Amino acid sequence: MPSGDIRTLDALDVVNAEMAEEARTRTSPFETSTERGIARCAAEPEHCPVRSPKYQDLTHDGQDELIVGVEETRHRLVVWAFMVQGGVVHRILETVGMSLSVEVVEGDPVIRQSTGYPGYDRRTVYSWDPEEQTMNIRKIELDRPLSSSPGRTP
């Protein structure tokens, strides 16, 4: 990645490369059915579990990072974020759960998940840690949803 612009990469290629790296070092991060779905993304984009990529400056260095979600069965969502550093793509965030929403607020990823407690969601805020060179959990809180409308989806 000599250009340093992560937007020039295909998000599906990044997901496939990360899956291959994970498979070399440990078990796959995805269920078998999700892996099959990812393998068919080019031929069947309407059934692709990889969501459209989003770009935000999460590291506050003026460069966008890639945020990609992969939806698994039972509505689990794997969220990965990647940055380019020294021409190499690095994963800086991984979270898995029954996410209701993912957003970026003031440069920090915020993941909202169901808690199982009626009327409350868990809100996890991640922030860039320049020492660790990764996104770390900054805050976890129980939060009442702003709306319980059916439009709230991951």
Side-chain angles (χ1 to χ4, degrees), residues 44-69:
E44 301 174 20
E46 68 278 5
H47 299 294
C48 183
V50 179
R51 294 189 175 182
S52 298
K54 304 296 180 202
Y55 301 92
Q56 292 278 330
D57 181 5
L58 303 176
T59 61
H60 313 288
D61 65 355
Q63 299 290 325
D64 282 341
E65 280 70 49
L66 165 67
I67 305 166
V68 65

Side-chain angles (χ1 to χ4, degrees), residues 25-135:
T25 60
R26 55 185 169 195
T27 60
S28 171
F30 301 114
E31 300 166 343
T32 303
S33 60
T34 303
E35 287 182 351
R36 284 194 302 262
I38 292 169
R40 291 191 310 265
C41 282
E44 301 174 20
E46 68 278 5
H47 299 294
C48 183
V50 179
R51 294 189 175 182
S52 298
K54 304 296 180 202
Y55 301 92
Q56 292 278 330
D57 181 5
L58 303 176
T59 61
H60 313 288
D61 65 355
Q63 299 290 325
D64 282 341
E65 280 70 49
L66 165 67
I67 305 166
V68 65
V70 179
E71 190 166 356
E72 293 203 286
T73 57
R74 298 182 308 259
H75 304 288
R76 280 181 7 133
L77 184 67
V78 176
V79 178
W80 283 340
F82 299 90
M83 71 178 292
V84 176
Q85 186 177 49
V88 178
V89 177
H90 298 278
R91 187 178 68 203
I92 60 171
L93 173 68
E94 175 181 27
T95 182
V96 179
M98 305 288 278
S99 299
L100 299 171
S101 68
V102 178
E103 61 185 324
V104 177
V105 178
E106 297 179 5
D108 293 337
V110 178
I111 314 275
R112 187 176 294 274
Q113 297 175 309
S114 177
T115 62
Y117 297 108
Y120 289 93
D121 292 340
R122 183 175 78 195
R123 187 174 175 268
T124 307
V125 180
Y126 294 84
S127 292
W128 175 245
D129 183 334
E131 297 292 318
E132 299 272 333
Q133 294 288 294
T134 191
M135 303 297 296

